Amino acid sequence: MGAVEDGFPERLSSLVGIDIRTGSHAPCFERVVIEFAGSGALPGYRVEYRQDPIIDSPRGEPVDVAGDATLVVSAGAWMPNPDGDGYDGPREIVPVNVETILELEQIENFEGMTMWAIGLDRERRFTVETLENPSRLVVDIALD
């Protein structure tokens, strides 16, 4: 399964990430949503499977992500920004409302870039889209 990319890493955004959440749309897919706030265009993004070791940037340390497959979501926006605006939740999330998404872990928030590792039970097909009002980056992970 190849990467899905749009304007990454060139398109940096003045938006700031304020939330990351999961949802189940069984029997078809499970969803990860990164929500942004502020003014400006959506950031560029890249979503791809990566093999272990998953590295925390900029520390360079390996990160243990639950599951047998890791989907990494990279976006050209802070989450939160250096002033502390934006996301103030945990960097490691074990969602309880989904079954195939085992963990979300923020592995980068540096120099205007954020990256989240999505630990899955196995590699699955995925699609990526952006939505407005509010601005969101949406990753749908197939259940079949």
Side-chain angles (χ1 to χ4, degrees):
M1 287 176 238
V4 175
E5 184 173 313
D6 183 7
F8 185 82
E10 299 83 18
R11 194 171 67 232
L12 298 178
S13 178
S14 58
L15 296 175
V16 65
I18 60 166
D19 191 25
I20 184 166
R21 59 187 175 269
T22 57
S24 176
H25 296 266
C28 300
F29 61 92
E30 291 180 349
R31 174 172 279 184
V32 175
V33 177
I34 300 175
E35 184 174 331
F36 299 93
S39 59
L42 276 160
Y45 60 84
R46 180 178 177 91
V47 182
E48 65 186 331
Y49 280 102
R50 290 205 189 153
Q51 300 299 313
D52 288 339
I54 303 300
I55 303 297
D56 182 290
S57 177
R59 294 181 319 138
E61 298 291 325
V63 176
D64 219 8
V65 180
D68 290 333
T70 305
L71 193 58
V72 174
V73 179
S74 306
W78 289 100
M79 191 171 184
N81 67 21
D83 296 329
D85 299 325
Y87 183 72
D88 65 355
R91 287 183 46 132
E92 186 175 345
I93 302 165
V94 177
V96 296
N97 62 340
V98 288
E99 292 186 22
T100 64
I101 300 169
L102 305 177
E103 180 180 11
L104 304 173
E105 185 156 347
Q106 188 178 42
I107 57 172
E108 182 173 338
N109 191 50
F110 185 68
E111 294 185 346
M113 300 282 184
T114 191
M115 270 196 243
W116 286 86
I118 304 170
L120 299 172
D121 62 343
R122 65 177 173 84
E123 278 198 19
R124 295 172 174 275
R125 291 179 301 108
F126 68 91
T127 60
V128 183
E129 66 179 320
T130 57
L131 301 172
E132 297 288 337
N133 298 319
S135 297
R136 290 160 286 165
L137 176 61
V138 177
V139 180
D140 288 336
I141 301 158
L143 293 177
D144 58 1

